[in-house]
Amino acid sequence: MPDAAARGSDAQLDRAFLALADPVRRGLIARLSRGPATVNELAEPFAITKQAVSKHIHVLEAAGLITRSRDGARRPCHLAPAALEELTAWIDSYRLVAEAQFRRLDTLLAAMDPEPRKEAGQ
Amino acid sequence: MPDAAARGSDAQLDRAFLALADPVRRGLIARLSRGPATVNELAEPFAITKQAVSKHIHVLEAAGLITRSRDGARRPCHLAPAALEELTAWIDSYRLVAEAQFRRLDTLLAAMDPEPRKEAGQ
DNA sequence: TCGTTTATCAACCATTTTGTTGATTACTTA
DNA sequence: TAAGTAATCAACAAAATGGTTGATAAACGA
C-alpha cells in the first residue's frame, strides 16, 4: 500500500493548493514571479486592506510558496519556484497515469470494435 | 495590462485548486487515475460516510476535474486529465518566469561580485 | 528624540466548508 | 409489484476562511 504522501494525505500539499485557490493570492504569485516585492507594493493593485494582504502573504509563506527577507523596515517577499515545481509534479504524476490509461483503452476498443460505442455520460 | 484570467481571477481556477486542497479529494484523484470508479468504490477506503464522499465528488466535478457517466444504477466517475493539465500550465507559467529571473540575477551578481553576499532572509 | 513608514497583532463578524443523520429518488432483479 | 442496491437531497452543527477596524511594534530619517 502506498504511504500517506503517495495517497495525498500531506498537510503541506493541503496548504499549497489551498493557497492557490484564491484570486488575490494567485495575483500575488503572478506579481512575485517578476521579482521580489513588499507588502505595500503587493497590496496596491487590490481593493482590500493591507492587513488582508498581509494575511494572504502568511498563507503563501506557510504553504512554502514564498519566503521573506529583511531590508531595513521592509520585508520583501520572494517566490519559491521549487515549491511550485512540487505541485506540478504531484498533478502530473496522476495526470500521466490517467492519460496512459486512456490511450490503452482507446487502443483496446479500436481493436475489439471499429464502431464507436455511445457512452451515456456527457 | 493582462486580462482577468492572466492575473488569476478565474473562478474555475479557484474551484480546481480548492478541489485539490483536501487529502480525501486527492485520494479520489489518485484512485481515479487508475480507472473509473463508483461512489461506493471510492468511499470504501475512507473513514467518512458515503454522503460525504458524494459531496467531495461534486466538488471535483464542479471544478471540472472529473466527469460522470451512467451505467444502470451506477454513475461512475472518470478523471479529466485535460483539466489537470490546465493547472500545471498555470503554475508553470509563473514558475518558469521566476526561474528565469533567478538565473538572470545569479548571472548579474556573479558578474558584479564573485563574493557571495549574505541575505538576511532564510 | 520625534515623526513617518512598514508591517503585524488582536478582536470581531459574515460566509463557506465539511461532516453528520435521516429521508428520498432512480434503477435493477426476483 | 416488491425488495434491494446506488446515490443524492435536506437540514443541521462545528470549524475554517476572508474581510474589517483599531492598536502596536520595529526601523528609518531629520
Side-chain angles (χ1 to χ4, degrees):
Chain A
M1 181 182 288
D3 62 34
R7 288 204 320 279
S9 307
D10 185 354
Q12 198 65 15
L13 276 180
D14 283 20
R15 295 190 201 98
F17 281 123
L18 185 63
L20 295 182
D22 181 287
V24 171
R25 289 192 293 258
R26 285 198 304 279
L28 299 178
I29 293 281
R31 165 64 185 84
L32 290 174
S33 72
R34 297 193 292 276
T38 65
V39 173
N40 283 340
E41 290 165 353
L42 289 169
E44 194 275 325
F46 295 101
I48 57 178
T49 63
K50 183 179 53 174
Q51 287 93 328
V53 172
S54 188
K55 284 190 185 180
H56 282 301
I57 287 170
H58 278 282
V59 171
L60 290 168
E61 189 178 13
L65 298 180
I66 69 171
T67 59
R68 312 290 301 266
S69 58
R70 170 69 74 175
D71 171 27
R74 296 179 184 77
R75 291 154 90 165
C77 305
H78 312 254
L79 201 60
L84 293 178
E85 202 280 333
E86 289 180 25
L87 298 184
T88 61
W90 187 92
I91 295 174
D92 285 346
S93 71
Y94 294 109
R95 176 173 68 86
L96 297 174
V97 168
E99 286 175 344
Q101 287 274 337
F102 283 148
R103 279 193 295 275
R104 278 198 287 277
L105 181 61
D106 287 346
T107 304
L108 180 62
L109 291 180
M112 287 174 59
D113 182 7
E115 199 68 20
R117 68 224 320 92
K118 59 183 176 194
E119 170 80 7
Q122 46 171 340
Chain B
M1 181 182 289
D3 64 359
R7 288 202 319 278
S9 306
D10 185 352
Q12 198 64 15
L13 276 180
D14 283 20
R15 295 189 202 100
F17 281 123
L18 185 64
L20 294 183
D22 180 286
V24 171
R25 289 192 292 258
R26 285 198 303 279
L28 299 177
I29 292 282
R31 166 62 185 85
L32 290 174
S33 73
R34 296 193 293 276
T38 65
V39 173
N40 283 339
E41 290 165 352
L42 289 169
E44 194 274 325
F46 295 100
I48 56 178
T49 63
K50 182 179 55 174
Q51 287 93 328
V53 172
S54 188
K55 285 189 184 179
H56 282 300
I57 287 170
H58 279 282
V59 171
L60 290 167
E61 190 179 13
L65 298 180
I66 68 170
T67 59
R68 313 291 301 267
S69 58
R70 170 68 76 172
D71 171 29
R74 296 179 183 77
R75 297 197 225 180
C77 305
H78 313 253
L79 201 61
L84 293 179
E85 201 281 333
E86 290 181 25
L87 297 185
T88 61
W90 187 92
I91 295 174
D92 285 346
S93 71
Y94 295 108
R95 177 174 67 86
L96 297 174
V97 168
E99 286 175 345
Q101 288 274 336
F102 283 145
R103 277 194 295 277
R104 277 196 287 277
L105 180 61
D106 286 346
T107 304
L108 180 63
L109 291 179
M112 287 174 60
D113 181 7
E115 198 69 19
R117 70 222 320 91
K118 60 183 176 194
E119 169 79 8
Q122 46 171 329

